[in-house]
Amino acid sequence: DQQVKQNSPSLSVQEGRISILNCDYTNSMFDYFLWYKKYPAEGPTFLISISSIKDKNEDGRFTVFLNKSAKHLSLHIVPSQPGDSAVYFCAASEIDTDKLIFGTGTRLQVFP
Amino acid sequence: EAQVTQNPRYLITVTGKKLTVTCSQNMNHEYMSWYRQDPGLGLRQIYYSMNVEVTDKGDVPEGYKVSRKEKRNFPLILESPSPNQTSLYFCASRARMDTQYFGPGTRLTVL
């Protein structure tokens, strides 16, 4: 059973517009959430995170929103740039464990 | 430069021939993990280690072994590889309560 789900395998957005990537989870014990970005032939790199005590975390063009009641989080990229084209993984964990559960990823393409 | 290194980056082998993928980190991290990435399945944890001589199974440990004799190294061992272990493998490390840093990946093909 997939505990972390990214239901959109791909997303295409025009440069300058907002990209919204979504993630749903089922385990109510998750209390820390992360987004990773992955380019081809490279390992995933950390992008942004949020703990369950917050509902929003912002870092430059990237904002993550957490809706605990809906068990849903989203990543907003504004404005989107061609260099943002990559696969984005959502991940969740319980604090102080090394167990990160990843979603299946969403491939974002930003076109000019 | 802080990094996680893996070797080899690419490997083609045959069923049953034992192989080891090495992983090393230079950040003095306590936690290390191995993941495999497969189409439509995302990243799944194979094994993890919370410190030297402490290892535990992740979600998909069957067919794999690991060891953690030194803090910096965490090799992944396939004693008898099978075609269903053809995948992209990532090693990762982190300090306690910190984010994970991933290696560049090892693409393994088992014929």
Side-chain angles (χ1 to χ4, degrees), chain A:
Chain A
D1 181 33
Q2 196 81 20
Q3 295 186 67
V4 178
K5 300 177 186 178
Q6 293 177 257
N7 292 318
S8 298
S10 64
L11 176 67
S12 191
V13 172
Q14 188 172 30
E15 181 178 6
R17 298 215 177 236
I18 184 171
S19 295
I20 301 177
L21 294 91
N22 293 304
C23 179
D24 296 294
Y25 63 97
T26 57
N27 186 345
S28 58
M29 297 302 291
F30 289 148
D31 49 16
Y32 190 57
F33 305 89
L34 308 92
W35 284 94
Y36 281 82
K37 176 178 178 180
K38 184 182 180 304
Y39 293 117
E42 294 182 13
T45 55
F46 170 73
L47 192 57
I48 192 169
S49 64
I50 188 167
S51 77
S52 59
I53 61 172
K54 294 186 174 183
D55 55 17
K56 177 183 175 181
N57 189 26
E58 197 170 347
D59 183 1
R61 297 186 297 114
F62 302 91
T63 303
V64 56
F65 295 92
L66 175 62
N67 182 334
K68 282 196 300 181
S69 61
K71 293 191 178 71
H72 176 83
L73 64 154
S74 60
L75 174 69
H76 293 210
I77 306 174
V78 183
S80 301
Q81 300 173 353
D84 296 329
S85 298
V87 176
Y88 290 78
F89 289 99
C90 167
S93 76
E94 301 175 36
I95 282 183
D96 211 22
T97 73
D98 191 55
K99 200 162 179 60
L100 261 186
I101 308 294
F102 282 84
T104 53
T106 296
R107 183 177 301 277
L108 172 66
Q109 183 181 11
V110 180
F111 59 93

